[in-house]
Amino acid sequence: MKKKYFLFARLAFSLFVKAKEVPAAGRCPAGGEGVRWRCCRQAFEELPGIHRHVALQHAGDIGRQAGLTTDAGQQAGLPAKEAAAEASPSSGPVPVGDADGLNGHSCSTPEITCTLPDTSRISYDDLTSKVGEVLLYYCYCEVKDPEKVCAWQKALCQHLHLTGKVRVASEGINGTVGGSKVATSLYIEVMLSQPLFKGILCQEDFKSSAGGAHCFPDLRVGVFKEIVPMGIDPKIVSYKETGIHLSPQEFHREVEQYLSQASQGQSDTVLLDCRNFYESKIGHFQGCLAPDIRKFSYFPSYVDENLELFKDKRVLMYCTGGIRCERGSAYLRSKAVCREVYQLKGGIHKYLEEFPDGFYRGKLFVFDDRYAICSNEDIISACRYCGTLWDQYKLCSSQHCRQLVLTCPSCHNKGLTACCPVCQEKELKVTSRASGQTLKEECECTRRRPRVPIEHVSQRMLDAGKD
């Protein structure tokens, strides 16, 4: 147990140190070695100095990156600080990337190569430029050691100054990260060279949009049971039982045919949006069925409560980048009621690259500080208060609430900044009372919306294609 504990701690320690290294181009230009590491707003010129700093100040981070819980550490008989100290070489500096799987060397687990790209020839400014992009990707594959992949991902993103969210599980990896174009290009390069993803992940699987590290508040990398939270054990409903993938061109033709038939009341197809209500509210395919659900984990219950809707139907499914359709289509197929289940490969992201003025109207919701990206000028949603066409989300101003609100500049300037009158009133009460008061999230928005709506869509199907 101790041997495994030290193996993980040593790997995590080396990854942490490597991530804090200052690129050669950003060091002392006068010929001296200059600052080589930066951490906690401190500069270090010698490796032993940062080793001591990490052992004393970041023992908890090392433990988390190693994927070790407090119980595991106790079973090994060592506290996190001692493990970090042991992971730090005591007999003098060891070149980062030597024996720990960095810079091209393999980790002890053959399927994972914990490499960090060489950034010595890249200037610090280029690596951290605010003019960049946001990447969205996923890869379903069998991961034997999610904790080690998690530690590597965290170090890789820190090394490239990327922010965002990465979920790792035994079923694969799902990420959305932002940074400079140099950094995101390096990230893709490293991901494609990873033996774990070889033959599964390809260049086309990365969806990109204008943005950068500023689109996320921080970097969050973790190990989860599912890489997309549907709430169903991956062993029960597997991504291996997914629907038939359609390219954007194939999906476009299917939607065109569906809208033509639906307008005549003859369609045997359901065009299903797998996203949440606040996503489809600002953008969706014409004639789609968009469930009024708040979380993807409600999707299985939605299917169960509306099975009759899908009976003997051809189902065309879509979501943002494709990942929710992987598990969603598998769940729908497991019910054995549909004639066929298809899904849009690459999601709306890839469709809009091919058909910016196609059958998808409005904005594409994204889970970062931008909230939405656009490919056309259509606005299909309205201000919550005055009804003016508007599709730019903001968080409800009431501190207890996490709902998103559409409030136009005019209404916003009038102080109408909450998602509903109930929240607006609660905000005023909290403001007028002692600071620090907390209230649970409960408002008109959640009170009126059933957790899982029951659809009555006969007329809706006849009206498909008219919006």
Side-chain angles (χ1 to χ4, degrees), residues 117-268:
D118 180 12
T119 57
S120 61
R121 293 182 176 84
I122 302 172
S123 73
Y124 184 79
D125 288 342
D126 286 342
L127 199 59
T128 60
S129 172
K130 291 185 178 181
V131 179
E133 60 185 358
V134 171
L135 298 178
L136 177 67
Y137 74 94
Y138 68 89
C139 180
Y140 276 106
C141 60
E142 294 185 12
V143 180
K144 295 180 181 178
D145 201 336
E147 288 82 7
K148 188 171 289 186
V149 174
C150 180
W152 164 64
Q153 273 292 309
K154 186 171 183 179
L156 174 61
C157 291
Q158 289 175 337
H159 182 63
L160 296 175
H161 300 273
L162 299 175
T163 59
K165 306 169 190 175
V166 180
R167 294 174 66 99
V168 183
S170 58
E171 63 172 355
I173 186 170
N174 173 23
T176 175
V177 296
S180 70
K181 289 191 175 181
V182 171
T184 53
S185 293
L186 283 172
Y187 183 81
I188 293 175
E189 184 179 316
V190 172
M191 293 293 288
L192 294 179
S193 65
Q194 173 62 257
L196 178 61
F197 309 131
K198 191 173 181 63
I200 307 173
L201 190 66
C202 62
Q203 182 80 36
E204 291 69 32
D205 291 324
F206 290 88
K207 281 75 72 171
S208 65
S209 56
H214 60 277
C215 293
F216 301 90
D218 51 25
L219 172 66
R220 298 180 186 180
V221 185
V223 175
F224 300 84
K225 193 167 187 176
E226 305 171 274
I227 60 173
V228 62
M230 191 171 76
I232 303 291
D233 193 317
K235 294 179 182 177
I236 297 176
V237 176
S238 170
Y239 66 90
K240 297 177 182 178
E241 304 299 325
T242 188
I244 300 171
H245 292 75
L246 298 178
S247 69
Q249 295 87 352
E250 292 170 328
F251 194 83
H252 183 79
R253 288 194 294 270
E254 286 285 347
V255 173
E256 184 175 36
Q257 182 178 356
Y258 157 70
L259 292 175
S260 175
Q261 293 176 346
S263 65
Q264 302 171 34
Q266 301 174 345
S267 180
D268 61 350

Side-chain angles (χ1 to χ4, degrees), residues 86-134:
E86 288 289 340
S88 175
S90 58
S91 58
V94 173
V96 177
D98 190 14
D100 296 293
L102 303 175
N103 295 339
H105 295 276
S106 297
C107 294
S108 58
T109 304
E111 67 172 24
I112 305 169
T113 302
C114 298
T115 57
L116 297 181
D118 180 12
T119 57
S120 61
R121 293 182 176 84
I122 302 172
S123 73
Y124 184 79
D125 288 342
D126 286 342
L127 199 59
T128 60
S129 172
K130 291 185 178 181
V131 179
E133 60 185 358
V134 171

Side-chain angles (χ1 to χ4, degrees), residues 257-316:
Q257 182 178 356
Y258 157 70
L259 292 175
S260 175
Q261 293 176 346
S263 65
Q264 302 171 34
Q266 301 174 345
S267 180
D268 61 350
T269 300
V270 175
L271 179 56
L272 181 62
D273 192 322
C274 293
R275 301 173 301 158
N276 305 321
F277 77 92
Y278 52 85
E279 299 175 76
S280 58
K281 188 174 184 176
I282 64 170
H284 54 248
F285 276 93
Q286 297 175 48
C288 75
L289 171 62
D292 192 19
I293 56 176
R294 187 177 175 186
K295 299 178 181 178
F296 183 58
S297 56
Y298 296 170
F299 182 78
S301 296
Y302 175 83
V303 169
D304 293 345
E305 295 293 336
N306 294 280
L307 276 180
E308 192 64 28
L309 173 67
F310 304 107
K311 188 175 181 180
D312 298 325
K313 296 286 187 179
R314 298 173 72 253
V315 179
L316 301 174

Side-chain angles (χ1 to χ4, degrees), residues 10 65 97 109 134 283 350 389 397 418 441:
R10 185 175 174 82
Q65 286 194 38
T109 304
V134 171
K350 286 297 183 182
L389 288 176
S397 58
E441 180 180 353

Side-chain angles (χ1 to χ4, degrees), residues 383-431:
C383 172
R384 166 73 172 79
Y385 291 96
C386 70
T388 300
L389 288 176
W390 188 251
D391 60 9
Q392 302 299 309
Y393 274 123
K394 289 185 181 296
L395 275 177
C396 175
S397 58
S398 187
Q399 294 180 1
H400 71 284
C401 184
R402 299 300 298 170
Q403 295 276 357
L404 291 166
V405 58
L406 293 171
T407 175
C408 70
S410 177
C411 291
H412 189 275
N413 291 336
K414 294 175 183 177
L416 301 173
T417 56
C419 64
C420 66
V422 173
C423 272
Q424 195 79 53
E425 184 179 346
K426 282 188 176 183
E427 181 187 11
L428 292 174
K429 287 181 179 179
V430 171
T431 304

